[in-house]
Amino acid sequence: MSYYHIILEVNDHISTIEQTRDIQILDITEIQPYLYSLLLPYFNEQIIELEDENIEFKDVLHLTVKQTLLPIQHLIEEEQKQLPSDTDITITAYEIFNDRDHTQDVTAVIWDILEAVKIDTSAIE
């Protein structure tokens, strides 16, 4: 089984200061719901509707889809065990995502498939 992880870097409009934040949706086993709520809208430069907020396309700085063979927490725990016991380093999802032994970036593959099938999003609305 594969696990997908969607990482969005977005502009944050909480204050007058320009800031960015990351939104991580981890350990996705069924990507289809995210196809319609997140991936297709991004691909078609539309508003992305997440559970608790809507994000304008112009506010998305970067979107990446990663794939792993195990849940992210399991991979973090395994990597953490390999560190010396006297180390104060904490492994995060970002370290796992940057490790090519554990993670594959499938963003380009998804965009290629979406381009090839040309799903009509007007039928969804």
Side-chain angles (χ1 to χ4, degrees), residues 89-103:
I89 297 172
T90 301
I91 303 292
T92 67
Y94 283 105
E95 282 81 24
I96 300 298
F97 293 148
N98 290 324
D99 184 341
R100 291 186 181 168
D101 291 338
H102 294 301
T103 306

Side-chain angles (χ1 to χ4, degrees), residues 24-116:
Q24 298 179 350
I25 305 168
L26 305 175
D27 297 333
I28 301 166
T29 56
E30 181 60 48
I31 196 115
Q32 186 174 0
Y34 297 97
L35 175 66
Y36 292 105
S37 67
L38 203 151
L39 298 173
L40 271 170
Y42 179 82
F43 184 75
N44 292 306
E45 300 183 5
Q46 299 169 335
I47 291 176
I48 296 170
E49 297 178 14
L50 298 177
E51 287 180 19
D52 53 353
E53 67 180 310
N54 293 336
I55 301 169
E56 296 279 342
F57 173 80
K58 66 180 174 51
D59 289 329
V60 179
L61 303 173
H62 194 72
L63 184 145
T64 307
V65 182
K66 303 284 189 165
Q67 179 184 30
T68 60
L69 297 177
L70 296 170
I72 198 70
Q73 192 59 40
H74 181 80
L75 293 170
I76 289 170
E77 289 168 4
E78 289 302 311
E79 286 296 308
Q80 198 73 41
K81 286 179 189 175
Q82 294 179 19
L83 294 174
S85 60
D86 60 345
T87 304
D88 286 339
I89 297 172
T90 301
I91 303 292
T92 67
Y94 283 105
E95 282 81 24
I96 300 298
F97 293 148
N98 290 324
D99 184 341
R100 291 186 181 168
D101 291 338
H102 294 301
T103 306
Q104 182 176 7
D105 188 329
V106 295
T107 312
V109 174
I110 289 175
W111 297 153
D112 288 347
I113 291 170
L114 292 177
E115 182 67 35

Side-chain angles (χ1 to χ4, degrees), residues 5-32:
H5 316 278
I6 301 172
I7 301 102
L8 293 146
E9 181 183 1
V10 299
N11 280 325
D12 203 356
H13 299 290
I14 292 177
S15 67
T16 57
I17 301 170
E18 279 292 316
Q19 292 182 334
T20 63
R21 66 185 167 103
D22 289 339
I23 299 170
Q24 298 179 350
I25 305 168
L26 305 175
D27 297 333
I28 301 166
T29 56
E30 181 60 48
I31 196 115
Q32 186 174 0

